[in-house]
Amino acid sequence: MKRGVLLLLPVGVAFAQQSALDPAGPYAHRIELLGAFFLGLLGLIFLVVIILALLSLTRRHRGIDQEPLEQNHRPSESTERRLTRTVGIAAAVTVLILLGLVVISVSAGKATSTPGNPDPANALVIEITGTQWWWQVRYPNEDASRIVVDANELHIPVGRPVLIRGTSNDVIHSFWVPNLQGKRDLIPSHVTTDWMQADHAGRFRGQCAEFCGLQHAHMALWVIAEPPDKFETWRAHQLQPASAPADPVRQRGQQVFLDGACALCHAIQGTAAAGQVGPDLTHFGRRSTIAAGTLPNNKGNLAGWIADPQNIKPGTRMATVPVKAEEMQPLLEYLEGLQ
Ligand code: CUA
């Protein structure tokens, strides 16, 4: 457990780029403006209320206190009328302000999530499926041979609106990449939509924002925004099946993978492995993290993850598959070689 915690630190600290206060695109910017407006207006109202409360304390010996009370200890009629009017106006102003906030909040929500909103013809569609506790990422295409499937990492072209179509395999998750868009719930048997866009290249961290079970905190993802030509190169590469391992060590690793239980849950295009339960591993070696953003992707972490997944991510659905000591190195070489 301790080792797991220590290993987690570098991931969060070394490349932290996750802040709703540093928007990198128009949708996140709109949400930041909305937040700033709420903060400013409500802060101002708070100040006014506190000042009025303090004033009323210093004025307590004037006004109704000094009026002679009638027999039944009621304030005079004129004072009562004045109080009723003041409270009535304050209540009406409060209701109007709250209504106004609801209107601008709902309109911002609609503007950042309605499909067909900015320029649907130019938009890139990405389907995200939340699963305890990882993200399936799918780039749909009318041509089935051009569908890209990946996990826990989204590549998007800079400057182009991306429509996220999200759903869930089990419980409610919430897809949230603070620098690029607002939170959007992923609900089983239901598709929700949300727009994201990056106006400059960069790596942005996302995180599940709805408690979804034991490993909710370790359900992260990375968005890599890159220039359109680089994005297309990436996409073309992802469409290729895994290249056959050339050297004997990797060939042995592939055998271990295909003969063991790994292939029951994971798919590797170009091999017999076609499991659909866990992440697609066709280009696993190119991902920067393993276990949904939990650990940097390297042989050491991967060995620990395969040998004892429950130690790194207690409750994970990743099965503990018995791998013989002499089989581990070839398996690591094979998986990390899936470029
Ligand atoms: Cu998925 Cu929290």
Side-chain angles (χ1 to χ4, degrees), residues 20 33 41 45 88 121 150 187 197 225 257 288 290 295-296 315 317-318:
L33 279 182
L41 181 68
I45 292 172
D150 206 348
I187 299 165
Q197 184 175 321
F257 187 93
S288 57
I290 55 174
L295 294 170
R317 304 283 196 259
M318 164 92 169

Side-chain angles (χ1 to χ4, degrees), residues 250-265:
R250 287 189 174 143
Q251 284 164 357
R252 171 94 185 96
Q254 186 183 49
Q255 218 50 55
V256 172
F257 187 93
L258 295 176
D259 293 349
C262 309
L264 298 177
C265 291

